[in-house]
């Protein structure tokens, strides 16, 4: 018993020790396994990181090995030493012209820094084209003397006892020796508002209004003109009253008042003054306040202080409280994630070339320039080396408004009075034009400088796939013969965008591979608003708390000088109508079949060729040479097809209508004359009583147009009744207008049949798809090069002058 009792504790001790050792060894084992697992996990992470690094490095190296995409054909935008006869004035020519003009004592010219209304100064200068016959002789035959380069200079002669405007031709450039008079004795009252005019009037009326009506403005509109902090009011926008509507041969302008915010035109207040611009003190002749007219500021303030007026304060909210006029992003954001929009690229570089202001694209080539007075111009447009158009040029942009208040009642604008060309600048890559476009600058000579002023990015040139086939056909059934053939529609576009105060106009000339030309205009920008009134509901729409959007009519004039197989052309219409004839396949002997037909109508005089659209008499408009026909004896022609027609509703001869007589017709055809160069002028805003260029007189000559050098004057327009979706800015859908020049029996077949862009899919065995198919012309879209990046953001941040007026001046002077 005792022995057993002695061994039991020993066994227990041994067992406890053994168990302890086992647990200790197990703990060590677990720790070892844990450390191993941690090491294994760490190793896995390291391996994964190394793998990621290898992949990134590999991809990066692979990407680095991808070469930049080819630049394609040559683009040289440098100023040529010997400019073509269509090239804008060069800086060398401007310097030579200025040196010459300031030496002419009879012109008595004042330099820009000292100019005033009563001085003689240069308003503008630009290229003056040679006579067409001389230009054609030089271009086509290479014979004869190269036409001299010349400049057309507009001079305001306020220094004379009887002031006037004169236009002279300075020649030859770059080293002129003389000038000749182009137009003399233009009434001084016809001149547009100039820097000295506008600035002088603005200072004068601001001072007078602030001195006499400061408290009235503060109580009525919550702001003042000076010392106003963040509640400033301002005079900026103006409306001309020509003698034709005022009954007075004086330059009268309504100056509107508005809040000085972004964008002030959408923040008008019901206050305006009529200013006599011919008065040296810029007399205020009428005042408009809260829908009433007063003879003077004194009369208004007196009645206001005597409580004889119904006071209707309209305290416009400040910008932070009312963002309807701003373009800051707001509303529901789309897309839901930050995905970038599609972009266009040139995988093999540019398929067009630019040399100065000459462009070559596939079968096309042409010259272009930017006229200071009239805007974008194209010359010598050729397809397959044959001239189709000698001159394709914007002439005028007009907008006529309607309204109850004088500010809109008299708002009949001719944009050439503000000089159209300088309004085109600052095109933005990636928005205004594809980022791969070629951007060119424009040179202008204006009153503010004797040196040429360069506006950056005035034109863009680009080729783009429109996303619409140029042609295609698919025959699915063997009954018709199985096949597919299509050609993507890649076009070349020359684009400019005018920003004339509140409106922007996109102006395109589009060249198709078929030999067709499209001229397109699209309107966007801010509407011209007036303070809301319930007195005239038929003039405008209530679009925001305190403003109306008023009815207005946009109108555009283009000159199209066609040369179809030379300069001896004719104009005919194919008049479409219906005809009834006996139905020989009906047992009823009196049965008739009625169907369409066309009748050729040759136009022999200019009056016969003045066209007003009539839905009852549809027509084809054809220009052709009677000397050149195709093998079927049909004249080789071009068709002018206007899809932007609009009728001007104002009666002929009333108000400012005579200054835009070109809008009486959707198209007019005249015999070319070097004295009938434009349909409008910079004086049109004020010269309606006796227009400097009276377009109607072009037609009243009634010259024969048979076998003559013909010019088509094309007008387009769109009526716009604003709506709430026009805020903050009118969008482009539905605002586009266009006309086409289309080959009509000019080629034996579609000239785009030779395009390498086409694709054809057909069975290996004719009409048997089971034999397999072959695809020809398919372009693999796997890009093996890096397209150029859009660096505009960095460029404009480094040089804001690309887009905005800088403190030093309007743009770049050279």
């Amino acid at each position: 018993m005792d022995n057993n009792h002695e061994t039991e504790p020993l066994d227990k001790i041994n067992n406890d020790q053994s168990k302890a050792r086992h647990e200790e060894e197990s703990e060590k084992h677990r720790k070892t396994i844990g450390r191993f697992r941690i090491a294994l996990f760490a190793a896995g992470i390291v391996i994964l990181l190394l793998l990621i690094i290898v992949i990134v490095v590999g991809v990066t190296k692979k990407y680095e090995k991808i070469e930049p995409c080819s630049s394609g054909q040559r683009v040289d935008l440098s100023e040529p030493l010997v400019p073509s006869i269509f090239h804008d004035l060069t800086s060398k020519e401007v310097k030579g012209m200025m040196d010459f003009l300031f030496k002419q004592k009879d012109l008595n010219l004042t330099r820009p820094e000292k100019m005033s209304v009563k001085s003689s100064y240069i308003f503008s200068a630009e290229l003056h084209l040679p006579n067409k016959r001389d230009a054609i002789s030089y271009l086509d035959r290479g014979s004869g003397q190269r036409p001299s380069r010349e400049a057309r200079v507009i001079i305001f002669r306020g220094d004379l006892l009887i002031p006037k405007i004169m236009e002279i031709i300075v020649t030859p450039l770059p080293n002129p020796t003389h000038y000749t008079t182009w137009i003399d004795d233009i009434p001084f009252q016809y001149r547009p508002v100039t820097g000295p005019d506008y600035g002088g009037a603005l200072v004068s009326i601001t001072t007078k209004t602030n001195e006499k009506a400061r408290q009235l403005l503060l109580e009525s509109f919550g702001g003042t003109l000076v010392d106003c902090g963040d509640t400033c009011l301002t005079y900026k926008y103006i409306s001309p009253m020509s003698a034709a509507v005022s009954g007075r041969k004086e330059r009268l302008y309504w100056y509107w008042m508005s809040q000085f915010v972004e964008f002030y035109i959408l923040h008008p207040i019901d206050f305006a003054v009529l200013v006599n611009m011919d008065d040296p003190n810029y007399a205020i002749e009428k005042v408009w306040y809260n829908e009433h007219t007063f003879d003077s500021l004194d009369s208004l303030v007196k009645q206001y202080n005597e409580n004889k007026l119904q006071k209707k304060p309209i305290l416009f909210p400040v910008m932070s409280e009312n963002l309807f006029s701003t373009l800051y992003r707001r509303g529901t954001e789309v897309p839901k994630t930050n995905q970038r929009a599609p972009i266009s690229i040139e995988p093999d570089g540019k398929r067009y070339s630019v040399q100065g202001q000459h462009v070559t694209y596939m079968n096309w080539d042409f010259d272009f320039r930017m006229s200071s007075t009239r805007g974008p111009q194209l010359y010598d447009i050729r397809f397959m080396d044959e001239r189709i158009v000698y001159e394709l040029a914007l002439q005028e942009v007009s907008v006529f408004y309607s309204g109850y208040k004088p500010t809109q009642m008299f708002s009949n604008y001719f944009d050439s009075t503000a000089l159209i060309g300088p309004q085109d600048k600052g095109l933005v890559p990636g928005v205004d034009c594809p980022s791969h476009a070629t951007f060119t600058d424009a040179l202008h000579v204006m009153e503010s400088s004797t040196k040429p002023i360069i506006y950056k990015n005035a034109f863009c040139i680009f080729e783009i796939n429109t996303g619409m086939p140029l042609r295609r056909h698919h025959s699915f059934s063997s009954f018709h013969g199985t096949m597919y053939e299509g050609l993507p529609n890649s076009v070349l576009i020359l684009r400019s965008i005018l920003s004339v105060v509140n409106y922007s106009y996109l102006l395109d000339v589009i060249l198709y591979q078929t030999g067709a030309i499209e001229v397109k205009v699209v309107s966007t920008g801010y509407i011209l608003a007036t303070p809301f009134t319930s007195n005239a509901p038929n003039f405008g729409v209530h679009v925001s708390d305190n403003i109306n959007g008023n009815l207005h009519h946009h109108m555009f004039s283009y000159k199209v000088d066609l040369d179809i197989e030379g300069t001896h052309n004719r104009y005919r219409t194919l008049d479409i109508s219906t005809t009834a004839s006996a139905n020989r396949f009906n047992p009823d002997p009196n049965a008739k079949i009625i169907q369409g037909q066309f009748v050729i109508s040759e136009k022999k005089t200019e009056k016969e060729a003045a066209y007003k659209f009539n839905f009852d008499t549809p027509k084809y408009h054809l220009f052709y040479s009677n000397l050149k026909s195709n093998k079927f004896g049909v004249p080789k022609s071009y068709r002018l097809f206007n899809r932007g027609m609009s009728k001007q509703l104002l009666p002929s001869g009333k108000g400012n209508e005579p200054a835009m007589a070109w809008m009486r017709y959707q198209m007019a055809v005249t015999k070319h004359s070097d004295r009938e160069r434009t349909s409008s002028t910079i004086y049109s805003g004020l010269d309606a009583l006796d227009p400097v260029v009276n377009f109607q007189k072009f037609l009243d000559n009634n010259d024969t147009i048979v076998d003559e050098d013909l010019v088509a004057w094309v007008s387009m327009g769109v009526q716009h009744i604003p709506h709430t979706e026009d805020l903050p800015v009118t969008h482009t859908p539905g605002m586009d207008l266009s006309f086409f020049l289309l080959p009509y029996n000019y080629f034996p077949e579609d000239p785009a049949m030779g395009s390498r862009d086409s694709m054809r899919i057909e069975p290996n065995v004719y009409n048997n798809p089971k034999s397999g198919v072959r695809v020809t012309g398919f372009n693999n879209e796997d890009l093996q090069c890096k397209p150029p990046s859009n660096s505009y953001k960095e460029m404009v941040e480094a040089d804001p002058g690309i887009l905005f007026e800088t403190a030093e001046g309007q743009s770049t002077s050279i």
Side-chain angles (χ1 to χ4, degrees), residues 73-92:
Q73 298 190 36
R74 186 177 182 222
V75 173
D76 181 1
L77 303 179
S78 60
E79 197 172 71
L81 295 176
V82 182
S84 78
I85 61 174
F86 301 116
H87 196 286
D88 277 313
L89 298 180
T90 66
S91 54
K92 180 179 180 181

Side-chain angles (χ1 to χ4, degrees), residues 537-549:
N538 295 331
F539 290 135
V541 176
H542 194 179
V543 295
S544 191
D545 291 341
N546 295 305
I547 64 170
N548 269 359

